[in-house]
C-alpha cells in the first residue's frame, strides 16, 4: 500500500483529457440520436398500423433485451461484413450507443404520451390542428416534461456504457485509462481514478433526475 501513488495519474492528464473529449462526444451525440429517434419510435410503436408498430416494437425489444456490449461488438465486427461498409470505430460505437439509447428513450416517451389526457388531444383535433402540429405543439412538450427524469437517468447510463467502446479500439477515457494502466503497471490508481471520475459526473445528474421526478409528482398531484 505504501507504493500507491495517485499523483502520477494527474501527470498523464493530457492523454486522459483526449479520452474524456471522445467520451463526451459519444455521450452528447448518442443522446441527440436517442432523443430524436426515441420520440419517433414512441410514436410509431403506438401507431394503429401493425406494419409500423410491429417493427418498432421489435427494434425496441431487441436493444432493450440484449447486452450493450454485445451490440457494440456486433456493430463493430458484423456490420462491415454484412453490409460492406467500413466506418470509423468512433462512428460505429456512436451508432451502437445511439440506437441502444433510442430504444430506452422510446419507452419513456411512450409512457409519457399515454399519460397525456385524452381531452387535450380531442381539443387539438376540434381546433383543426394537423397531425404534425398536434405532435409538435401538444404531444411533444408534455411528453418531454413527464419523461425528463427517465431521460436524464438514461443519459447517465449511456455515459457509463460509453466505456464499452474501449473494447473495440475507440480511444475514449476508459481506453486511455487502460493504456496508462498497462504502460505504468499501476491499475489500482488508474482504475480507481476512473471510477471516481464516472461517479463524480453521474451523482449530480442522478440527483437532478430525482429532484425533477419529485417536482413532476408534486405538479401532477396538485
Amino acid at each position: 500500500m505504501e507504493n500507491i501513488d495517485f499523483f502520477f495519474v494527474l501527470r498523464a492528464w493530457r492523454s486522459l483529457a483526449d479520452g474524456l473529449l471522445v467520451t463526451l462526444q459519444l455521450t452528447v451525440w448518442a443522446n441527440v440520436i436517442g432523443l430524436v429517434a426515441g420520440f419517433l419510435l414512441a410514436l410509431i410503436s403506438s401507431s394503429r398500423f401493425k406494419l409500423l408498430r410491429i417493427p418498432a416494437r421489435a427494434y425496441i425489444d431487441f436493444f432493450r433485451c440484449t447486452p450493450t456490449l454485445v451490440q457494440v461488438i456486433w456493430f463493430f465486427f458484423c456490420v462491415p461484413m454484412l453490409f460492406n461498409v467500413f466506418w470509423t470505430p468512433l462512428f460505429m460505437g456512436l451508432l451502437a450507443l445511439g440506437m441502444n439509447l433510442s430504444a430506452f428513450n422510446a419507452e419513456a416517451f411512450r409512457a409519457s404520451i399515454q399519460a397525456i389526457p385524452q381531452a387535450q388531444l380531442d381539443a387539438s383535433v376540434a381546433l383543426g390542428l394537423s397531425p404534425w402540429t398536434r405532435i409538435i405543439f401538444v404531444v411533444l412538450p408534455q411528453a418531454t416534461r413527464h419523461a425528463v427524469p427517465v431521460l436524464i437517468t438514461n443519459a447517465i447510463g449511456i455515459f457509463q456504457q460509453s466505456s464499452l467502446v474501449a473494447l473495440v479500439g475507440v480511444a475514449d477515457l476508459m481506453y486511455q485509462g487502460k493504456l496508462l494502466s498497462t504502460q505504468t503497471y499501476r491499475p489500482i490508481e488508474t482504475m480507481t481514478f476512473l471510477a471516481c471520475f464516472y461517479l463524480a459526473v453521474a451523482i449530480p445528474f442522478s440527483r437532478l433526475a430525482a429532484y425533477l421526478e419529485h417536482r413532476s409528482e408534486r405538479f401532477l398531484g396538485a
Side-chain angles (χ1 to χ4, degrees):
M1 295 292 293
E2 63 221 18
N3 294 326
I4 291 181
D5 176 20
F6 285 95
F7 288 100
F8 94 93
V9 180
L10 300 178
R11 292 193 291 270
W13 67 270
R14 188 177 297 277
S15 62
L16 293 177
D18 292 340
L20 175 60
L21 179 61
V22 174
T23 293
L24 293 177
Q25 289 176 337
L26 286 169
T27 303
V28 170
W29 285 110
N31 274 281
V32 171
I33 295 172
L35 290 172
V36 176
F39 182 71
L40 295 176
L41 275 171
L43 295 175
I44 296 172
S45 64
S46 303
S47 172
R48 302 190 307 270
F49 303 104
K50 288 186 177 180
L51 288 178
L52 295 176
R53 186 176 68 251
I54 292 177
R57 292 303 311 169
Y59 174 98
I60 293 171
D61 290 340
F62 172 80
F63 281 97
R64 281 170 54 89
C65 300
T66 55
T68 308
L69 176 59
V70 173
Q71 296 166 20
V72 170
I73 293 176
W74 191 90
F75 269 88
F76 188 82
F77 290 105
C78 298
V79 167
M81 292 188 290
L82 292 175
F83 303 102
N84 197 33
V85 292
F86 300 93
W87 293 316
T88 64
L90 179 62
F91 183 78
M92 296 293 283
L94 171 60
L95 189 62
L97 294 174
M99 294 179 72
N100 174 275
L101 182 59
S102 66
F104 285 88
N105 284 350
E107 286 296 274
F109 278 121
R110 189 169 69 90
S112 299
I113 291 172
Q114 292 175 346
I116 298 174
Q118 185 62 38
Q120 296 190 20
L121 300 177
D122 294 339
S124 64
V125 174
L127 290 172
L129 300 180
S130 67
W132 277 111
T133 302
R134 293 198 301 270
I135 289 173
I136 294 173
F137 293 102
V138 179
V139 176
L140 178 59
Q142 297 189 71
T144 302
R145 185 182 64 192
H146 294 314
V148 160
V150 180
L151 297 177
I152 293 177
T153 301
N154 292 344
I156 295 170
I158 214 65
F159 168 70
Q160 296 166 340
Q161 292 173 4
S162 67
S163 61
L164 297 174
V165 300
L167 297 176
V168 291
V170 179
D172 71 328
L173 181 61
M174 178 59 71
Y175 180 92
Q176 296 290 0
K178 287 175 56 182
L179 188 63
L180 179 63
S181 171
T182 303
Q183 292 174 342
T184 60
Y185 301 99
R186 290 184 176 273
I188 295 177
E189 296 94 326
T190 306
M191 294 304 162
T192 301
F193 174 83
L194 292 182
C196 291
F197 179 83
Y198 280 104
L199 187 66
V201 173
I203 284 180
F205 284 99
S206 64
R207 295 291 184 269
L208 175 62
Y211 170 75
L212 292 175
E213 185 175 9
H214 179 66
R215 284 283 304 271
S216 178
E217 290 175 353
R218 289 183 58 187
F219 176 80
L220 293 175

